[in-house]
Amino acid sequence: MRIPLDYYRILGLPIQTSVEQLQQAYHDRTRQLPRREYSEAAIEARKQLIEKAYTVLSDPEERTRYDASYFAHTYEPDAETTAESTVGNHPHLSPPTFDAHTPSIEISDELFVGALLILQELGEYELVLNLGHPYLSGKLDELEIRSDIILTIALACLELGREQWQQGHYESAATSLEAGQNFLSSEGLFPSVADEIQTDLYKLRPYRILGLLARPEADVAERRTGLQLLQAILQERHGIDGTNDDGSGLSVEDFLRFIQQIRGYLTAAEQQSLFEVESQRPSAVATFLAVYALIARGFAQRLPVLIRQAKLMLKRLGKRQDLHLEQAICSLLLGQTTEASRALELSQEYEPLAFIREHSQGSSDLLPGLCLYSERWLQTEVFPHFRDLAQQQASLKEYFADEQVQTYLEALPTQSEATNEWEPGAPQPNYESDLALASHTHSTGVGQRRNRDTSRQTAKIASRESSERSPLAASVSGVAVLPPAERITRPNSSTSALTQIQSPQRLNRRTRSRVARSSGSGENGVTLFHRQGSSSALAVRNVLEARKTRLVLLLLGSVLSIAILWFLASQVYGFFRQVFFPAPSLPREQLLVQLNQPPLPIPKPNSKPAAEPLNQATATQVIQSWLSTKSAAFGSNHEVNRLEQILVEPALSQWQQRAQNDKANKRYRQYKHNIKVDSVQRASANERAQVEATVNEVAQVYENGKLNQNSSYGEDVRVRYSLVRKDDQWRIQEMKVLK
């Protein structure tokens, strides 16, 4: 039979090669043995072909004749060449065809397995498959040769799959690997090779998932396959933050990075469905990702029922960590402004709070800054992680103007009831009632642009039965958005809250109007609600505020009266003492000496010198002292107590809480700082001052002893420090990031 091989390729040499190179190649090829699974017959057939090639090419006369035949055959005008019609002893087989211009040699049937083995070693995997499968379709008498051919075909599938994998053709690679695995399984041979193929299939799965999910949304079947592969990995790992082996070789940290990478290829609905199921394992990371999906989808699709569900999940996650900022955003989107303000007061997020305060100047509360921050947060930190929302604009004005949103918010519990939703003994929310309200909104024609399938899907998600979960710590690296979390418990759906939703006092429209005005991009916000009306909740609030004002005025009046009486009494006493008990006089001015005080002030032992007047140099020392203390408090030794040496309230409590959180989460930081003091302003008889400085901060963040490159950063910020003198030292009272 004729096969597409030539003697030069058998030895792995170019045509123009020297005698020395020929000898070296022959020795190398004979020393290289194939895999141990091959039989002696296959190894001997390969050896005979190598020796035949060396014999022909090492003889000058035979090499000359062979070269002439080689070049003549290469440029023959024939269209194609087939293997001999008699393939060994099996004339009924249909031999494969190959290009006539491909060099070929004539071999006996006994050497066919050796030729296949050499083709496989040369990387001609597709040619091995084309030649090997037809040969096996006949009835081979030699079972040993048959097993050798099966092994060669399986190895060709394995190597072809790896080659396609390296080229980025992940589905083609999976097809080749699965073909080899199925072939071995059907034959019941070489389980070690089958295991090797299976190992590659496991390692290939993450690449397949990325490739399939990145396809256009029109490729429904392919993307569904990607989701199924992802669910299979999650099941084997026991969740996103699970530690079981799925065969991919990804550690917990690597897998979390992988999840973050694929989020951009999933829609908000796909992420919600996936992460809600995963959160039931329980998984703190999945719960947090589900919260983001619920907020994103609820805001973009005007489904505040999903935002309410996210808020309730956040309250469970936030028992031992600071998630008050996200809770404040959810409360704002539900029109619960009082609860949003209360959540902001509890937050320890320094930079976001500084931004919110800066953009709320001139307002009695922080709502203007919170509205602006919420829009930017949705636009820059939430929407980009969802395939269908990455290009969508976040507008609170349009959100609150939506009639469906207005109808739902009016039917929510009052703010006082909402505040106690998760207090012990309080009636627990029932998602079925939210669904009933959403269905009513659709049936009355309000928000008819919402798809009924979306409503039914929302109902299916919202009415899922609750389950109690056990604690599970989550260590997140590489993404910088997933905080560690603890016990996650979904609300108890056994108590119906239908009456709570159908008969509450209506949310005050003026409050919603205020939220809407605050969300405008300009100074003149747009009023979204123009209807008149007030609620008893607002009335109660106004009464409480009036009472508080009267109480404060009464207290101030009492204090002022007491001060006046004391002053008058002291003046009268002094007058009578001077009249009736005059002090003895001396003829000239005398040194005032008292028994209980020294004539001159005596400094206390080890007393610290008074604080120097604040100038450019001393201000630089104060800021450097703060940054040095910060490095120690957030460093590997967590010297939190040192913060008391440079900070006073309220900055002290804020930074102590942040440092304690890092210590509890086994996280520490290594800082490098450079500062430049831009200005110093003194006030109040040099007891207070403001310093503006440009700070270059480079931080390396370590979690569980490993460097987290994604959380590490380097940046230049301009900070305004408010300083006060305490115990003859300058201390920092407040800090505000200017840009």
Side-chain angles (χ1 to χ4, degrees):
M1 63 180 297
R2 183 166 291 276
I3 58 170
L5 266 178
D6 63 82
Y7 293 143
Y8 288 104
R9 293 195 68 203
I10 290 175
L11 294 175
L13 291 171
I15 297 176
Q16 295 179 346
T17 186
S18 64
V19 176
E20 292 78 9
Q21 291 173 327
L22 184 66
Q23 293 175 345
Q24 184 63 45
Y26 171 70
H27 290 301
D28 291 342
R29 294 290 281 156
T30 52
R31 283 197 297 265
Q32 295 169 356
L33 296 178
R35 291 179 62 121
R36 58 182 177 81
E37 290 90 351
Y38 279 103
S39 67
E40 290 295 331
I43 296 173
E44 181 62 27
R46 172 183 176 273
K47 181 180 178 182
Q48 289 184 27
L49 286 173
I50 293 173
E51 289 179 344
K52 176 66 175 176
Y54 177 70
T55 300
V56 171
L57 297 180
S58 60
D59 187 301
E61 294 183 2
E62 290 208 29
R63 180 175 180 178
T64 301
R65 285 194 296 270
Y66 176 77
D67 287 348
S69 173
Y70 175 89
F71 287 112
H73 180 77
T74 301
Y75 297 102
E76 282 180 357
D78 298 3
E80 64 178 13
T81 301
T82 64
E84 296 293 333
S85 58
T86 56
V87 184
N89 297 322
H90 309 284
H92 60 282
L93 294 180
S94 298
T97 61
F98 50 88
D99 189 348
H101 301 299
T102 299
S104 59
I105 59 173
E106 189 83 19
I107 63 171
S108 63
D109 186 51
E110 290 77 12
L111 298 180
F112 177 73
V113 65
L116 274 187
L117 207 164
I118 290 175
L119 286 171
Q120 198 271 338
E121 291 174 344
L122 292 173
E124 298 287 353
Y125 309 124
E126 293 181 349
L127 191 54
V128 170
L129 299 178
N130 292 336
L131 292 172
H133 280 296
Y135 200 90
L136 284 177
S137 61
K139 295 181 180 179
L140 294 178
D141 297 331
E142 300 85 354
L143 295 178
E144 193 175 55
I145 294 178
R146 179 181 176 85
S147 66
D148 289 327
I149 296 175
I150 290 172
L151 175 60
T152 307
I153 292 175
L155 291 175
C157 289
L158 173 61
E159 297 301 333
L160 179 61
R162 289 173 174 172
E163 186 177 272
Q164 293 166 334
W165 183 352
Q166 292 296 324
Q167 295 169 354
H169 306 310
Y170 304 130
E171 287 308 295
S172 298
T175 300
S176 299
L177 292 172
E178 288 171 350
Q181 187 183 53
N182 294 335
F183 186 53
L184 290 178
S185 177
S186 64
E187 297 289 340
L189 295 172
F190 307 108
S192 61
V193 179
D195 290 342
E196 191 174 343
I197 295 175
Q198 183 61 61
T199 298
D200 276 21
L201 282 170
Y202 281 143
K203 292 181 179 179
L204 178 63
R205 273 195 303 187
Y207 297 89
R208 294 183 63 192
I209 292 170
L210 277 172
L212 290 169
L213 295 181
R215 294 195 179 191
E217 291 187 54
D219 296 343
V220 178
E222 290 80 1
R223 298 189 77 252
R224 185 185 298 115
T225 301
L227 285 171
Q228 291 171 349
L229 289 172
L230 176 59
Q231 289 166 349
I233 285 184
L234 290 169
Q235 187 65 28
E236 292 170 14
R237 296 181 72 94
H238 287 187
I240 295 175
D241 38 8
T243 56
N244 282 25
D245 184 14
D246 65 339
S248 66
L250 297 177
S251 65
V252 174
E253 292 78 9
D254 292 335
F255 191 71
L256 288 172
R257 295 189 187 97
F258 168 69
I259 291 295
Q260 281 296 86
Q261 189 175 359
I262 66 172
R263 286 181 64 205
Y265 302 116
L266 295 173
T267 65
E270 288 170 339
Q271 289 195 38
Q272 178 190 343
S273 176
L274 175 68
F275 296 132
E276 277 194 326
V277 172
E278 286 301 311
S279 68
Q280 297 176 12
R281 290 187 182 274
S283 169
V285 176
T287 304
F288 197 85
L289 292 176
V291 165
Y292 265 59
L294 288 165
I295 294 174
R297 191 177 176 207
F299 183 85
Q301 299 181 9
R302 310 298 188 249
L303 294 172
V305 58
L306 301 182
I307 296 174
R308 185 169 183 242
Q309 184 178 348
K311 176 188 170 186
L312 300 179
M313 295 173 74
L314 274 173
K315 286 192 175 181
R316 285 295 182 181
L317 277 175
K319 284 192 171 182
R320 293 188 179 178
Q321 55 194 309
D322 187 1
L323 296 178
H324 295 100
L325 188 59
E326 288 85 352
Q327 293 175 16
I329 293 172
C330 288
S331 297
L332 177 69
L333 297 179
L334 294 174
Q336 298 166 342
T337 54
T338 301
E339 191 170 352
S341 298
R342 185 178 294 110
L344 282 180
E345 293 173 359
L346 298 173
S347 176
Q348 300 293 328
E349 297 285 348
Y350 173 73
E351 293 181 3
L353 287 176
F355 176 90
I356 292 171
R357 290 194 184 98
E358 181 178 357
H359 291 84
S360 299
Q361 294 180 2
S363 174
S364 59
D365 53 31
L366 299 178
L367 283 180
L370 179 60
C371 289
L372 181 59
Y373 178 83
S374 299
E375 274 191 343
R376 294 191 179 188
W377 179 75
L378 287 164
Q379 190 69 59
T380 61
E381 296 188 33
V382 178
F383 282 3
H385 294 288
F386 299 92
R387 182 189 191 121
D388 53 335
L389 304 179
Q391 304 302 321
Q392 185 163 331
Q393 293 297 316
S395 170
L396 261 67
K397 174 181 174 181
E398 296 178 5
Y399 171 82
F400 282 110
D402 190 282
E403 289 294 328
Q404 177 171 318
V405 173
Q406 295 179 21
T407 302
Y408 181 86
L409 297 189
E410 288 177 349
L412 280 176
T414 61
Q415 296 200 22
S416 60
E417 292 170 340
T419 301
N420 296 324
E421 277 181 328
W422 287 91
E423 295 298 327
Q428 298 301 304
N430 191 328
Y431 295 137
E432 295 180 359
S433 57
D434 285 356
L435 170 60
L437 175 60
S439 300
H440 173 71
T441 302
H442 283 279
S443 64
T444 55
V446 179
Q448 290 181 354
R449 65 180 176 277
R450 294 289 169 259
N451 190 299
R452 292 184 180 275
D453 292 337
T454 303
S455 177
R456 285 194 292 269
Q457 186 177 6
T458 304
K460 185 175 181 181
I461 295 169
S463 61
R464 184 176 290 120
E465 293 185 1
S466 61
S467 61
E468 190 74 16
R469 298 157 196 151
S470 60
L472 180 63
S475 173
V476 182
S477 63
V479 296
V481 296
L482 305 178
E486 86 294 351
R487 188 180 182 90
I488 308 164
T489 308
R490 297 195 59 175
N492 183 0
S493 60
S494 60
T495 304
S496 175
L498 187 59
T499 56
Q500 299 178 25
I501 294 185
Q502 289 182 342
S503 59
Q505 296 172 345
R506 292 291 185 256
L507 179 69
N508 183 272
R509 289 184 179 273
R510 273 180 273 178
T511 303
R512 293 210 311 269
S513 175
R514 183 181 184 188
V515 173
R517 287 197 301 272
S518 301
S519 68
S521 58
E523 292 185 5
N524 298 324
V526 180
T527 303
L528 304 183
F529 307 101
H530 304 282
R531 303 175 188 174
Q532 299 298 322
S534 62
S535 67
S536 59
L538 181 61
V540 171
R541 179 181 177 184
N542 292 337
V543 170
L544 292 175
E545 290 179 353
R547 286 182 182 176
K548 181 179 179 180
T549 303
R550 287 197 297 271
L551 182 60
V552 170
L553 291 175
L554 181 61
L555 182 60
L556 289 175
S558 301
V559 172
L560 183 59
S561 300
I562 293 172
I564 293 173
L565 290 174
W566 179 83
F567 176 76
L568 292 175
S570 63
Q571 292 298 318
V572 171
Y573 172 76
F575 173 77
F576 280 102
R577 181 177 180 181
Q578 189 173 13
V579 172
F580 295 104
F581 305 99
S585 60
L586 294 174
R588 56 180 179 178
E589 184 178 357
Q590 299 295 316
L591 179 65
L592 180 61
V593 179
Q594 299 180 7
L595 294 178
N596 60 344
Q597 291 184 1
L600 297 175
I602 300 176
K604 297 179 180 180
N606 301 324
S607 62
K608 296 181 180 178
E612 298 180 23
L614 196 67
N615 52 33
Q616 195 88 0
T618 54
T620 302
Q621 291 177 0
V622 172
I623 307 305
Q624 285 178 339
S625 176
W626 151 239
L627 296 175
S628 175
T629 303
K630 177 182 176 182
S631 299
F634 288 83
S636 57
N637 294 328
H638 298 287
E639 300 176 35
V640 182
N641 293 335
R642 289 184 56 179
L643 294 172
E644 299 175 357
Q645 301 173 6
I646 189 64
L647 300 179
V648 295
E649 298 295 346
L652 178 59
S653 297
Q654 296 172 356
W655 285 96
Q656 282 178 335
Q657 181 64 39
R658 295 183 65 180
Q660 292 292 353
N661 287 343
D662 272 16
K663 184 177 181 180
N665 295 322
K666 297 181 180 179
R667 179 170 53 242
Y668 68 91
R669 307 162 193 263
Q670 292 182 353
Y671 289 106
K672 291 183 180 179
H673 294 105
N674 288 312
I675 66 168
K676 177 187 176 184
V677 173
D678 301 319
S679 65
V680 179
Q681 296 179 358
R682 293 177 292 276
S684 302
N686 289 330
E687 294 297 325
R688 293 182 176 273
Q690 281 192 347
V691 177
E692 292 186 4
T694 301
V695 180
N696 173 262
E697 182 173 87
V698 178
Q700 289 186 324
V701 182
Y702 291 82
E703 295 182 352
N704 293 320
K706 295 182 180 179
L707 178 62
N708 186 337
Q709 291 286 4
N710 290 333
S711 296
S712 301
Y713 62 89
E715 60 183 1
D716 291 324
V717 292
R718 196 157 179 260
V719 186
R720 178 184 297 154
Y721 298 92
S722 297
L723 275 59
V724 297
R725 277 216 297 199
K726 181 181 179 183
D727 298 333
D728 291 329
Q729 285 188 334
W730 287 107
R731 307 288 183 92
I732 298 176
Q733 188 176 45
E734 287 185 330
M735 308 174 202
K736 183 176 183 179
V737 177
L738 301 180
K739 65 176 182 178

